[in-house]
Amino acid sequence: MRRLLLTLPLLCAPLLAAGQTVGADQAGEAAWLQQQTTLNTGKPAPGSLLVQSENGPTAGAQNNGSLSLNPLSGGTVSSTSLQYGITPNVSAQVGVTQRSWVTQPRIVGTQVGATYSAGRYSLGLSVAQDQVPNSTPLPRVLPGAVTGVNGLSDFDSSTQVNASGRFAFNNNSGVLLGASMGRIRLLPGNLMGLSTLDQKALSFGIDHGPITGSIIGRTMQPEPGLPSSFLTDRRWNSIDLGVTWHLPWQGSLSFGAQNLWSSGNATNTPVGPPEPDQSRTPYVQYHQDL
Protein backbone atom coordinates (compact mmCIF):
# COMPACT_ATOMS: atom_id res chain seq x y z
CA MET A 1 0.00 0.00 0.00
CA ARG A 2 2.80 2.35 0.90
CA ARG A 3 4.52 1.54 -2.40
CA LEU A 4 1.28 2.40 -4.30
CA LEU A 5 1.03 5.78 -2.62
CA LEU A 6 4.60 6.57 -3.61
CA THR A 7 3.92 5.55 -7.21
CA LEU A 8 0.80 7.72 -7.73
CA PRO A 9 2.69 11.08 -7.99
CA LEU A 10 4.92 9.58 -10.65
CA LEU A 11 1.91 8.42 -12.63
CA CYS A 12 0.29 11.89 -12.41
CA ALA A 13 3.41 13.81 -13.45
CA PRO A 14 2.75 13.45 -17.22
CA LEU A 15 -0.81 14.65 -16.72
CA LEU A 16 0.40 17.72 -14.81
CA ALA A 17 2.94 18.48 -17.51
CA ALA A 18 0.28 18.09 -20.18
CA GLY A 19 -1.96 20.50 -18.30
CA GLN A 20 0.82 23.10 -18.16
CA THR A 21 1.51 22.65 -21.87
CA VAL A 22 -2.14 23.16 -22.76
CA GLY A 23 -2.22 26.40 -20.71
CA ALA A 24 0.85 27.78 -22.50
CA ASP A 25 -0.59 26.86 -25.90
CA GLN A 26 -3.85 28.65 -25.08
CA ALA A 27 -1.95 31.78 -24.06
CA GLY A 28 0.09 31.70 -27.27
CA GLU A 29 -3.02 31.12 -29.36
CA ALA A 30 -4.76 34.08 -27.68
CA ALA A 31 -1.78 36.33 -28.46
CA TRP A 32 -1.72 35.10 -32.07
CA LEU A 33 -5.47 35.72 -32.48
CA GLN A 34 -5.05 39.21 -31.02
CA GLN A 35 -2.27 39.94 -33.51
CA GLN A 36 -4.33 38.65 -36.43
CA THR A 37 -7.28 40.81 -35.33
CA THR A 38 -5.01 43.86 -35.40
CA LEU A 39 -3.70 43.04 -38.88
CA ASN A 40 -7.09 42.19 -40.40
CA THR A 41 -9.09 45.14 -39.05
CA GLY A 42 -6.40 47.81 -39.27
CA LYS A 43 -7.00 48.79 -35.64
CA PRO A 44 -5.32 47.43 -32.53
CA ALA A 45 -7.06 44.92 -30.30
CA PRO A 46 -7.57 45.97 -26.64
CA GLY A 47 -4.23 46.10 -24.87
CA SER A 48 -2.16 45.83 -28.06
CA LEU A 49 -0.01 48.37 -29.89
CA LEU A 50 0.03 48.96 -33.67
CA VAL A 51 2.97 50.81 -35.24
CA GLN A 52 2.75 52.15 -38.81
CA SER A 53 5.30 54.01 -40.94
CA GLU A 54 4.75 55.53 -44.38
CA ASN A 55 6.86 57.42 -46.91
CA GLY A 56 5.64 59.17 -50.04
CA PRO A 57 5.56 62.38 -52.09
CA THR A 58 3.93 65.54 -50.82
CA ALA A 59 1.23 65.43 -53.50
CA GLY A 60 0.15 62.01 -52.27
CA ALA A 61 -0.38 63.36 -48.76
CA GLN A 62 -3.13 65.88 -49.48
CA ASN A 63 -5.49 64.11 -47.06
CA ASN A 64 -4.89 66.65 -44.31
CA GLY A 65 -7.74 69.09 -44.76
CA SER A 66 -6.37 71.62 -42.29
CA LEU A 67 -3.26 72.63 -44.25
CA SER A 68 -2.53 72.87 -47.96
CA LEU A 69 0.89 72.49 -49.62
CA ASN A 70 1.88 73.10 -53.22
CA PRO A 71 1.58 69.67 -54.90
CA LEU A 72 4.23 70.58 -57.49
CA SER A 73 6.92 71.59 -55.00
CA GLY A 74 8.30 68.05 -54.82
CA GLY A 75 9.68 66.65 -51.61
CA THR A 76 8.73 63.68 -49.48
CA VAL A 77 6.54 62.96 -46.49
CA SER A 78 7.58 60.56 -43.72
CA SER A 79 5.11 59.63 -41.01
CA THR A 80 5.08 57.28 -38.02
CA SER A 81 2.04 56.56 -35.88
CA LEU A 82 1.33 54.52 -32.77
CA GLN A 83 -2.14 53.17 -32.02
CA TYR A 84 -3.10 51.58 -28.72
CA GLY A 85 -6.32 49.64 -28.26
CA ILE A 86 -8.19 50.78 -25.15
CA THR A 87 -11.45 48.90 -25.70
CA PRO A 88 -12.78 46.90 -28.66
CA ASN A 89 -14.23 50.15 -30.06
CA VAL A 90 -11.83 52.84 -28.82
CA SER A 91 -8.16 53.36 -29.71
CA ALA A 92 -5.69 56.17 -29.01
CA GLN A 93 -3.20 57.49 -31.57
CA VAL A 94 0.03 59.46 -31.52
CA GLY A 95 1.72 60.45 -34.77
CA VAL A 96 4.70 62.42 -36.09
CA THR A 97 4.96 63.65 -39.70
CA GLN A 98 7.90 65.30 -41.43
CA ARG A 99 7.68 67.03 -44.81
CA SER A 100 11.10 67.56 -46.37
CA TRP A 101 12.39 69.47 -49.41
CA VAL A 102 15.89 69.78 -50.84
CA THR A 103 16.10 73.59 -50.82
CA GLN A 104 13.33 74.42 -48.35
CA PRO A 105 12.88 74.18 -44.58
CA ARG A 106 11.19 71.03 -43.36
CA ILE A 107 7.84 71.05 -41.59
CA VAL A 108 7.32 68.77 -38.59
CA GLY A 109 3.82 67.89 -37.44
CA THR A 110 2.60 66.08 -34.33
CA GLN A 111 -0.88 64.76 -33.61
CA VAL A 112 -2.61 63.19 -30.60
CA GLY A 113 -6.13 61.81 -30.76
CA ALA A 114 -8.60 58.98 -30.30
CA THR A 115 -10.92 57.01 -32.59
CA TYR A 116 -14.24 55.32 -31.88
CA SER A 117 -15.38 52.56 -34.24
CA ALA A 118 -18.70 50.72 -34.12
CA GLY A 119 -19.61 48.61 -37.11
CA ARG A 120 -20.02 50.85 -40.13
CA TYR A 121 -19.39 54.05 -38.20
CA SER A 122 -16.10 55.56 -37.05
CA LEU A 123 -15.34 58.93 -35.49
CA GLY A 124 -11.96 60.46 -34.66
CA LEU A 125 -10.88 63.57 -32.76
CA SER A 126 -7.35 64.92 -32.60
CA VAL A 127 -5.21 67.94 -31.75
CA ALA A 128 -2.38 68.67 -34.20
CA GLN A 129 0.50 71.09 -34.47
CA ASP A 130 2.76 71.89 -37.45
CA GLN A 131 5.86 74.04 -37.26
CA VAL A 132 9.06 74.95 -39.06
CA PRO A 133 11.98 74.11 -36.72
CA ASN A 134 14.54 76.87 -36.23
CA SER A 135 12.44 79.36 -38.13
CA THR A 136 14.01 82.77 -38.66
CA PRO A 137 12.51 86.12 -39.71
CA LEU A 138 15.59 87.03 -41.78
CA PRO A 139 14.89 88.25 -45.33
CA ARG A 140 14.60 85.57 -47.99
CA VAL A 141 17.41 85.69 -50.55
CA LEU A 142 15.80 83.47 -53.19
CA PRO A 143 12.18 84.07 -54.13
CA GLY A 144 10.04 81.03 -53.50
CA ALA A 145 12.74 79.40 -51.35
CA VAL A 146 10.20 78.63 -48.64
CA THR A 147 7.36 76.27 -49.35
CA GLY A 148 3.92 77.81 -49.18
CA VAL A 149 1.46 76.55 -46.58
CA ASN A 150 -2.10 77.59 -47.44
CA GLY A 151 -0.51 79.95 -49.97
CA LEU A 152 1.53 81.67 -47.22
CA SER A 153 5.29 81.94 -47.83
CA ASP A 154 6.05 83.12 -44.26
CA PHE A 155 4.45 80.20 -42.44
CA ASP A 156 5.84 79.66 -38.93
CA SER A 157 3.51 77.24 -37.11
CA SER A 158 -0.11 76.21 -36.70
CA THR A 159 -2.35 74.50 -34.16
CA GLN A 160 -5.68 72.93 -35.03
CA VAL A 161 -8.40 70.63 -33.75
CA ASN A 162 -9.48 67.98 -36.26
CA ALA A 163 -12.56 65.77 -36.46
CA SER A 164 -13.05 62.98 -38.98
CA GLY A 165 -15.69 60.33 -39.59
CA ARG A 166 -16.47 57.51 -41.97
CA PHE A 167 -19.64 55.62 -42.84
CA ALA A 168 -19.16 52.34 -44.68
CA PHE A 169 -21.76 51.23 -47.22
CA ASN A 170 -20.10 47.81 -47.48
CA ASN A 171 -16.63 46.28 -47.31
CA ASN A 172 -15.41 48.28 -50.34
CA SER A 173 -17.17 51.66 -50.20
CA GLY A 174 -17.65 54.47 -47.72
CA VAL A 175 -18.16 58.17 -47.18
CA LEU A 176 -15.53 60.33 -45.46
CA LEU A 177 -16.24 63.58 -43.59
CA GLY A 178 -13.78 65.92 -41.91
CA ALA A 179 -13.60 69.29 -40.21
CA SER A 180 -10.77 71.39 -38.79
CA MET A 181 -10.47 74.63 -36.87
CA GLY A 182 -7.26 76.30 -35.80
CA ARG A 183 -4.82 79.18 -35.99
CA ILE A 184 -1.82 79.86 -38.24
CA ARG A 185 1.13 81.95 -37.03
CA LEU A 186 3.36 83.83 -39.47
CA LEU A 187 7.00 84.84 -39.16
CA PRO A 188 7.64 88.33 -37.78
CA GLY A 189 8.21 90.95 -40.44
CA ASN A 190 6.22 89.13 -43.11
CA LEU A 191 4.96 91.03 -46.17
CA MET A 192 1.32 90.74 -45.15
CA GLY A 193 1.93 92.60 -41.91
CA LEU A 194 -0.10 90.04 -39.92
CA SER A 195 0.93 87.75 -37.07
CA THR A 196 -1.89 85.17 -36.95
CA LEU A 197 -4.70 83.90 -39.15
CA ASP A 198 -7.75 81.89 -38.15
CA GLN A 199 -8.47 79.00 -40.50
CA LYS A 200 -11.29 76.50 -40.95
CA ALA A 201 -11.61 73.52 -43.30
CA LEU A 202 -14.31 71.06 -44.33
CA SER A 203 -13.74 67.91 -46.38
CA PHE A 204 -15.96 65.36 -48.08
CA GLY A 205 -14.73 62.19 -49.70
CA ILE A 206 -15.82 58.86 -51.15
CA ASP A 207 -13.76 55.69 -51.34
CA HIS A 208 -14.68 52.72 -53.53
CA GLY A 209 -12.21 49.88 -53.69
CA PRO A 210 -8.81 51.25 -54.75
CA ILE A 211 -10.14 54.71 -55.69
CA THR A 212 -10.53 57.60 -53.25
CA GLY A 213 -11.83 61.07 -54.16
CA SER A 214 -12.09 64.11 -51.91
CA ILE A 215 -13.08 67.75 -52.03
CA ILE A 216 -11.73 70.18 -49.40
CA GLY A 217 -12.91 73.71 -48.68
CA ARG A 218 -10.81 76.15 -46.66
CA THR A 219 -11.23 79.65 -45.34
CA MET A 220 -8.72 82.00 -43.68
CA GLN A 221 -9.08 85.43 -42.11
CA PRO A 222 -7.00 87.63 -39.80
CA GLU A 223 -7.44 87.09 -36.10
CA PRO A 224 -10.22 89.34 -34.71
CA GLY A 225 -9.05 92.27 -32.63
CA LEU A 226 -5.93 93.11 -34.62
CA PRO A 227 -5.14 96.77 -35.40
CA SER A 228 -6.88 98.02 -38.50
CA SER A 229 -4.98 97.51 -41.75
CA PHE A 230 -5.65 96.70 -45.37
CA LEU A 231 -6.18 92.99 -44.69
CA THR A 232 -7.96 92.84 -41.33
CA ASP A 233 -11.42 92.62 -42.88
CA ARG A 234 -10.45 90.22 -45.66
CA ARG A 235 -11.30 86.52 -45.97
CA TRP A 236 -9.75 84.01 -48.38
CA ASN A 237 -11.64 80.91 -49.50
CA SER A 238 -10.50 78.02 -51.67
CA ILE A 239 -11.61 74.56 -52.80
CA ASP A 240 -9.29 71.63 -53.62
CA LEU A 241 -10.26 68.50 -55.55
CA GLY A 242 -8.21 65.30 -55.67
CA VAL A 243 -8.49 61.65 -56.71
CA THR A 244 -6.08 58.82 -55.83
CA TRP A 245 -6.03 55.41 -57.51
CA HIS A 246 -4.18 52.72 -55.56
CA LEU A 247 -2.73 50.34 -58.15
CA PRO A 248 -2.36 46.56 -57.62
CA TRP A 249 1.48 46.68 -57.74
CA GLN A 250 1.83 48.91 -54.64
CA GLY A 251 1.75 52.07 -56.67
CA SER A 252 -0.66 55.01 -56.64
CA LEU A 253 -1.70 57.65 -59.16
CA SER A 254 -2.90 61.00 -57.80
CA PHE A 255 -4.42 63.81 -59.83
CA GLY A 256 -6.52 66.85 -59.12
CA ALA A 257 -6.36 70.61 -58.73
CA GLN A 258 -5.44 72.84 -55.83
CA ASN A 259 -7.44 76.06 -55.57
CA LEU A 260 -9.87 74.80 -58.18
CA TRP A 261 -11.98 77.73 -57.02
CA SER A 262 -10.67 80.56 -54.85
CA SER A 263 -11.33 84.12 -53.79
CA GLY A 264 -8.75 86.83 -53.26
CA ASN A 265 -5.94 88.42 -55.20
CA ALA A 266 -2.40 87.01 -55.05
CA THR A 267 -0.64 89.97 -56.70
CA ASN A 268 0.63 93.24 -55.27
CA THR A 269 -1.91 96.02 -55.20
CA PRO A 270 -1.28 99.78 -55.02
CA VAL A 271 -3.16 100.00 -51.73
CA GLY A 272 -1.71 97.08 -49.80
CA PRO A 273 0.69 94.12 -49.49
CA PRO A 274 0.35 90.83 -51.39
CA GLU A 275 -2.30 88.37 -50.32
CA PRO A 276 -1.99 84.57 -49.97
CA ASP A 277 -1.23 82.76 -53.20
CA GLN A 278 -4.44 81.13 -54.40
CA SER A 279 -3.52 80.39 -58.00
CA ARG A 280 -5.09 77.27 -59.50
CA THR A 281 -2.59 74.40 -59.62
CA PRO A 282 -3.50 71.16 -61.43
CA TYR A 283 -1.25 68.17 -60.75
CA VAL A 284 -0.69 64.54 -61.74
CA GLN A 285 1.73 62.39 -59.75
CA TYR A 286 2.68 58.73 -59.64
CA HIS A 287 4.13 57.06 -56.54
CA GLN A 288 5.66 53.60 -56.26
CA ASP A 289 6.30 51.81 -52.96
CA LEU A 290 9.48 49.73 -53.01
Side-chain angles (χ1 to χ4, degrees):
M1 186 67 180
R2 183 179 301 175
R3 182 178 300 177
L4 179 60
L5 294 176
L6 294 176
T7 309
L8 285 176
L10 297 177
L11 296 175
C12 295
L15 297 177
L16 295 175
Q20 292 177 355
T21 304
V22 170
D25 291 342
Q26 290 177 348
E29 182 179 358
W32 182 85
L33 289 175
Q34 186 181 53
Q35 182 180 10
Q36 289 301 112
T37 302
T38 299
L39 295 176
N40 294 336
T41 62
K43 61 181 180 180
S48 64
L49 187 67
L50 177 62
V51 182
Q52 294 179 318
S53 297
E54 296 181 1
N55 293 279
T58 54
Q62 298 298 313
N63 55 353
N64 184 1
S66 59
L67 296 180
S68 172
L69 300 171
N70 188 346
L72 301 180
S73 60
T76 59
V77 177
S78 302
S79 63
T80 301
S81 63
L82 303 176
Q83 299 185 48
Y84 179 77
I86 302 176
T87 69
N89 296 330
V90 179
S91 62
Q93 302 92 24
V94 177
V96 178
T97 302
Q98 177 175 285
R99 297 174 174 88
S100 303
W101 294 267
V102 176
T103 60
Q104 301 169 346
R106 60 191 176 99
I107 299 177
V108 178
T110 56
Q111 183 168 297
V112 178
T115 301
Y116 173 80
S117 300
R120 295 184 174 182
Y121 303 90
S122 65
L123 176 63
L125 296 174
S126 64
V127 178
Q129 184 178 35
D130 296 270
Q131 60 182 355
V132 179
N134 302 324
S135 58
T136 172
L138 295 177
R140 309 298 180 186
V141 178
L142 298 176
V146 178
T147 181
V149 178
N150 284 29
L152 304 166
S153 60
D154 293 296
F155 173 82
D156 181 30
S157 62
S158 66
T159 304
Q160 55 271 348
V161 178
N162 303 319
S164 61
R166 183 179 186 272
F167 174 76
F169 298 121
N170 48 49
N171 294 332
N172 296 322
S173 304
V175 175
L176 307 170
L177 298 174
S180 175
M181 179 180 298
R183 181 159 294 174
I184 296 175
R185 287 167 287 276
L186 304 179
L187 291 171
N190 61 84
L191 296 178
M192 294 183 64
L194 299 173
S195 58
T196 57
L197 292 170
D198 290 339
Q199 62 91 24
K200 302 178 182 67
L202 292 175
S203 63
F204 173 80
I206 296 178
D207 61 76
H208 179 70
I211 300 178
T212 302
S214 62
I215 181 170
I216 302 173
R218 299 184 183 87
T219 180
M220 292 187 303
Q221 65 182 112
E223 179 186 1
L226 293 177
S228 59
S229 68
F230 170 72
L231 298 175
T232 53
D233 58 346
R234 294 301 303 271
R235 177 179 297 180
W236 300 275
N237 304 308
S238 62
I239 293 178
D240 298 347
L241 179 65
V243 177
T244 299
W245 180 20
H246 299 280
L247 303 172
W249 50 87
Q250 294 184 340
S252 61
L253 180 64
S254 300
F255 59 92
Q258 189 179 79
N259 297 328
L260 182 65
W261 174 88
S262 62
S263 64
N265 184 14
T267 61
N268 286 312
T269 61
V271 294
E275 302 183 28
D277 183 10
Q278 292 185 297
S279 57
R280 183 180 302 139
T281 307
Y283 65 90
V284 176
Q285 189 171 65
Y286 174 79
H287 173 66
Q288 178 66 53
D289 292 328
L290 300 177

